[in-house]
Amino acid sequence: MKAFQVGLCSIWLSGFVLIALSLYVTQRLPSLNDRIKVSKLNLGDLGKPRITIFSATSPFNGSVGARQSLAIRSWLALSPQISVVLFSQHPSVVSFAGDFGSRVLVESNIDFTFLGTPFFHSMIARSQSFTSDIFVLIDPETILLNDFISTLSYAYELDRDWLLVASSQNISHFPFYLDEAGKRWLRGDGKWMRTQELQEILCQSWQWNHCKGRMLMAWNSGDLPLHAGVLPPFLYGKGIHNNWVINEAMSSDFRFVFDSSWTISSFHLYDPEPWSSGVVGNSKVSGIEMRSWEYVGNSHIGALYGSLLYQEANYSSLVKLLKCDRKYIFFNPTENFVYPYGYQSSFRLWKERILHPWRKRRIMACIDGINSLEKIPDCSLKDHMKLSAPLEFSFSLESLLPFIADKNKTIVLAVVGYSYKDMLMSWVCRLRRLLITNFMICALDQETYQFSVLQGLPVFKDPLAPSNISFNDCHFGTKCFQRVTKVKSRMVLTILKLGYNVLLSDVDVYWFENPLPLLYTFGPAFLVAQSDEYKTTGPINLPRRLNSGFYFARCDDSTIAAMERVVKHAATSGLSEQPSFYDTLCGEGGSYRVGDNRCVEPETNLTVYFLDRDLFPNGAYLDLWRKKNVKSACVKKGCLILHNNWISGRLKKLERQVLSGLWDYESGTRMCLQSWHNFKLTS
């Protein structure tokens, strides 16, 4: 192995590095001259391609931050045509980017899990909304050297749409740094060193693993997609996704896919004890750093989408990019031949009539060195995708609460079953848009639980939830609805007893603004709830007009005692929980009513306040849902929320909300709708 490494480094450092396109692929793909997306007339510095590098960073803390900083500075040092976009929600990333002006941008408007792990499909979608000649996705702790630019410049001249992949070497010790100008590499003693010398030193500790190592991907801004079908919601950095993209790209045959591992010097700086720092991604969780369910989730998704589980491409069969005798050639390991790009004759004709004997010897020596690549075990992911491990969080309700609650110890709770999963996600996406993060989901069934885990939501299961929940027949008035609603008051009571305030919101409640600042103005011993009264005049606290789909309860003694009475009453009722709320807190027939908008429960002295319907309208008030522009009408009225109730049937409810434009989720891609979906930004 040592001899192989030394021989490999000598090939690399002599310029015997790879970029390969096979005759086989050339014959399979038609000429794509008409597919060139970027006009050379639009290029910047002397016709050089604009390159945008995308990466998802951890917070810039400790050794992780130092490695990330060095890596990103190495990218920027390569060319003024390089811009960097960092996906993160952490303030330290914004602070770091500020030192580089417009060359480094921070993008937080993509989908993240509640622990801060970015979604790979959202990263790819966001990157493609930028305007650039070449797009690169890379690990934030990977250093790049000069041949990265020459390789991409060569690839950019290809007359077809392409996808380039390159594995990085793993290095645990890197005693070098860039000067203040970010132009030259220095030793620990401050002496300048050439890039070739740096490569030679790094080759001495050569480690490379196609399966588990880091990988960069780059593609040109062509007309063709990277692959057929939908990119599933993989979690970035949690396995499977890179190889899934390569597999689907090769299977789809839209783009020319090639391996440039031997023409791009990339070095991944890693910590041999990765959990010693206690920092993983943007996570604020210290006791569950391994987060194995994220890897399990990616395995589940990889098995469900695409063809990877059934037809896995052989990574070693990828066309290799080689640079032999200072010339780029293409090496097809499957058919074991090389040829120069664009030469339409066979390899035999090229070899016998064009190649001089001395050059033939050089190239054959180069190829012999590359052939030793086949000694490296090929990467197979099928074993990783066998669904042996359950898709379960390491969280209970009790362990989730302190991480989710806001500074006032308040939780926004939604209780939902699988038939409402899309409406759940639209609700979640809207809360994320409003920068509300203190929400959590109580899943009524296993399907909702697993869906929520895959979507990165803070979810827990109710062990006492009713079974046999109907998919299409669980709306207001049905027996299923009556059973399901009783879970809500029971879970609210449980959380109150654990010391947290609760804002219970059904997922069919659209939020225009965050209502919590207003709700906090109501003190202890107040329960504030939406009124279901549809008449525009008269009292709003009439019998059975308390809507239990949106209310705020504080964790004080009066509220807990009153909620215990509600839960007890609902448990023996043949109706839903909503009548139990009113009859218990306002008295049967409204005997505890005070004025037109409140009740006072005498035993607990709890005041129930019915919220102003101009701010918290129900689905029948002022016929807002029938307005030509629902959003405009509600904003003009000053609505904080709008409840999509007073309509019968799940499908009708769903249709009304989607057609109104009060919808924030794309179910086909499993992504929140973002403002950048409709336009491109120039990096």
Side-chain angles (χ1 to χ4, degrees):
M1 186 61 182
K2 183 68 174 179
F4 166 64
Q5 294 173 4
V6 172
L8 186 56
C9 288
S10 64
I11 292 172
W12 190 6
L13 296 174
S14 301
F16 292 67
V17 196
L18 6 146
I19 283 190
L21 301 173
S22 69
L23 182 60
Y24 171 69
V25 176
T26 301
Q27 292 173 340
R28 289 186 66 189
L29 286 175
S31 176
L32 302 181
N33 290 322
D34 59 335
R35 297 180 183 175
I36 297 297
K37 172 115 177 147
V38 181
S39 170
K40 303 297 189 294
L41 297 177
N42 293 330
L43 297 181
D45 183 19
L46 299 177
K48 296 179 181 178
R50 294 166 297 175
I51 301 171
T52 306
I53 300 179
F54 300 87
S55 191
T57 55
S58 297
F60 279 80
N61 301 325
S63 59
V64 172
R67 292 195 298 269
Q68 290 181 156
S69 176
L70 182 60
I72 294 170
R73 292 181 70 223
S74 78
W75 310 341
L76 295 171
L78 297 176
S79 168
Q81 294 294 98
I82 288 180
S83 298
V84 175
V85 177
L86 304 177
F87 297 113
S88 178
Q89 297 174 314
H90 201 272
S92 66
V93 180
V94 177
S95 177
F96 169 82
D99 294 336
F100 300 94
S102 61
R103 292 194 68 192
V104 180
L105 305 177
V106 179
E107 178 57 89
S108 61
N109 292 321
I110 63 167
D111 291 348
F112 293 85
T113 70
F114 78 99
L115 291 175
T117 302
F119 278 93
F120 179 70
H121 69 324
S122 188
M123 292 169 57
I124 295 293
R126 182 64 179 108
S127 67
Q128 293 175 334
S129 71
F130 280 77
T131 298
S132 186
D133 300 322
I134 297 176
F135 305 85
V136 181
L137 187 64
I138 190 172
D139 181 87
E141 298 179 30
T142 298
I143 288 176
L144 295 173
L145 299 183
N146 293 340
D147 50 13
F148 171 78
I149 294 296
S150 58
T151 296
L152 290 190
S153 297
Y154 174 79
Y156 180 69
E157 296 299 325
L158 303 182
D159 63 350
R160 61 191 59 194
D161 294 346
W162 48 265
L163 170 65
L164 172 157
V165 299
S167 294
S168 301
Q169 300 182 45
N170 293 323
I171 294 179
S172 60
H173 181 61
F174 191 82
F176 312 105
Y177 62 97
L178 285 166
D179 62 11
E180 291 185 6
K183 299 297 183 182
R184 292 184 172 186
W185 287 102
L186 305 177
R187 299 175 180 272
D189 58 8
K191 292 184 178 180
W192 171 71
M193 62 189 310
R194 294 176 300 167
T195 301
Q196 183 174 347
E197 183 182 1
L198 178 62
Q199 289 175 324
E200 186 175 23
I201 294 173
L202 294 175
C203 280
Q204 296 174 2
S205 57
W206 185 81
Q207 296 182 50
W208 195 4
N209 189 315
H210 284 313
C211 269
K212 299 179 181 179
R214 297 298 192 272
M215 180 182 295
L216 70 84
M217 294 192 294
W219 61 94
N220 64 328
S221 58
D223 294 326
L224 297 177
L226 297 181
H227 56 81
V230 175
L231 180 59
F234 290 112
L235 296 183
Y236 178 71
K238 307 303 177 181
I240 304 295
H241 53 71
N242 285 339
N243 293 84
W244 188 95
V245 169
I246 295 171
N247 188 82
E248 296 307 303
M250 295 177 69
S251 300
S252 303
D253 207 19
F254 291 161
R255 286 176 173 253
F256 182 73
V257 185
F258 55 90
D259 181 3
S260 188
S261 299
W262 303 95
T263 58
I264 292 179
S265 304
S266 62
F267 305 96
H268 172 243
L269 309 179
Y270 73 98
D271 186 348
E273 298 181 4
W275 311 115
S276 60
S277 62
V279 177
V280 180
N282 293 342
S283 174
K284 52 185 175 181
V285 182
S286 59
I288 51 168
E289 288 92 343
M290 296 300 293
R291 292 181 6 203
S292 61
W293 74 85
E294 295 183 324
Y295 295 88
V296 173
N298 275 9
S299 295
H300 278 247
I301 292 171
L304 292 174
Y305 287 80
S307 60
L308 183 56
L309 185 64
Y310 310 101
Q311 185 179 1
E312 183 177 8
N314 188 344
Y315 189 90
S316 63
S317 69
L318 270 177
V319 173
K320 306 285 191 296
L321 268 72
L322 296 149
K323 195 173 186 181
C324 295
D325 195 29
R326 299 182 181 181
K327 300 289 183 180
Y328 285 103
I329 62 171
F330 311 127
F331 174 57
N332 187 330
T334 302
E335 301 185 14
N336 198 30
F337 63 76
V338 298
Y339 57 94
Y341 179 72
Y343 197 80
Q344 301 302 317
S345 301
S346 67
F347 167 64
R348 179 181 299 277
L349 181 65
W350 172 69
K351 181 175 68 173
E352 293 180 355
R353 298 185 182 180
I354 299 177
L355 198 62
H356 293 291
W358 64 269
R359 189 177 174 198
K360 182 194 302 184
R361 288 193 296 270
R362 284 175 175 266
I363 292 182
M364 290 301 102
C366 175
I367 297 303
D368 288 342
I370 298 305
N371 279 334
S372 61
L373 281 171
E374 305 309 317
K375 298 177 182 179
I376 300 175
D378 192 40
C379 179
S380 176
L381 297 177
K382 287 186 178 180
D383 291 339
H384 295 274
M385 293 190 299
K386 292 180 179 178
L387 308 182
S388 56
L391 185 58
E392 298 280 346
F393 265 153
S394 300
F395 296 105
S396 62
L397 168 62
E398 292 77 7
S399 63
L400 269 178
L401 286 170
F403 298 121
I404 300 302
D406 67 8
K407 62 182 181 180
N408 297 307
K409 296 191 69 176
T410 297
I411 292 293
V412 179
L413 177 67
V415 180
V416 64
Y418 194 64
S419 61
Y420 281 85
K421 68 180 188 304
D422 289 339
M423 193 163 280
L424 162 67
M425 285 308 304
S426 180
W427 180 81
V428 165
C429 292
R430 182 58 189 169
L431 265 59
R432 287 174 174 169
R433 181 74 66 88
L434 295 173
L435 304 181
I436 298 170
T437 59
N438 59 321
F439 62 86
M440 59 195 308
I441 314 302
C442 174
L444 292 171
D445 47 59
Q446 183 66 14
E447 293 82 4
T448 305
Y449 177 79
Q450 291 194 343
F451 174 82
S452 299
V453 170
L454 292 176
Q455 292 286 162
L457 306 182
V459 62
F460 65 95
K461 287 183 291 188
D462 174 24
L464 302 177
S467 57
N468 301 321
I469 299 174
S470 173
F471 191 86
N472 282 318
D473 194 26
C474 204
H475 50 273
F476 183 83
T478 63
K479 292 292 184 181
C480 175
F481 178 84
Q482 293 170 2
R483 290 184 288 119
V484 165
T485 58
K486 296 176 183 181
V487 175
K488 297 190 292 187
S489 54
R490 179 165 49 80
M491 294 314 307
V492 168
L493 177 59
T494 299
I495 295 173
L496 291 176
K497 288 183 174 180
L498 291 171
Y500 295 86
N501 310 315
V502 181
L503 171 54
L504 186 284
S505 176
D506 286 347
V507 295
D508 62 352
V509 176
Y510 186 85
W511 292 35
F512 291 96
E513 297 181 29
N514 186 353
L516 280 171
L518 175 61
L519 300 180
Y520 284 143
T521 63
F522 294 89
F526 266 83
L527 185 145
V528 293
Q530 185 180 49
S531 171
D532 231 8
E533 178 57 58
Y534 60 91
K535 295 179 181 178
T536 57
T537 60
I540 63 174
N541 60 349
L542 293 174
R544 304 290 173 85
R545 287 304 186 227
L546 188 153
N547 190 302
S548 62
F550 187 88
Y551 63 91
F552 178 62
R554 289 186 177 272
C555 60
D556 54 64
D557 293 341
S558 295
T559 305
I560 291 174
M563 286 298 297
E564 286 178 331
R565 291 167 57 81
V566 171
V567 171
K568 183 177 180 180
H569 186 282
T572 59
S573 170
L575 302 175
S576 69
E577 68 166 6
Q578 197 151 292
S580 295
F581 262 91
Y582 191 89
D583 292 351
T584 301
L585 302 180
C586 291
E588 293 188 13
S591 58
Y592 304 152
R593 287 175 56 208
V594 176
D596 292 341
N597 63 357
R598 66 186 65 198
C599 303
V600 178
E601 202 284 318
E603 291 193 24
T604 62
N605 201 33
L606 177 73
T607 297
V608 179
Y609 183 88
F610 290 74
L611 291 162
D612 183 348
R613 290 174 299 163
D614 285 344
L615 301 179
F616 299 88
N618 60 64
Y621 181 64
L622 295 178
D623 282 333
L624 287 170
W625 282 107
R626 295 186 180 182
K627 301 296 183 182
K628 185 177 181 180
N629 189 324
V630 179
K631 183 175 183 179
S632 177
C634 287
V635 170
K636 184 177 180 180
K637 198 71 179 174
C639 304
L640 295 178
I641 67 161
L642 174 62
H643 203 150
N644 189 7
N645 63 345
W646 284 94
I647 187 171
S648 180
R650 180 185 67 87
L651 294 177
K652 291 182 180 180
K653 183 189 296 261
L654 187 64
E655 180 183 26
R656 181 166 77 171
Q657 188 159 340
V658 171
L659 293 179
S660 72
L662 302 183
W663 192 257
D664 292 87
Y665 177 65
E666 173 53 57
S667 59
T669 60
R670 289 199 179 184
M671 276 191 286
C672 293
L673 295 175
Q674 305 283 359
S675 59
W676 47 261
H677 277 114
N678 299 321
F679 60 88
K680 283 197 171 188
L681 294 179
T682 301
S683 61

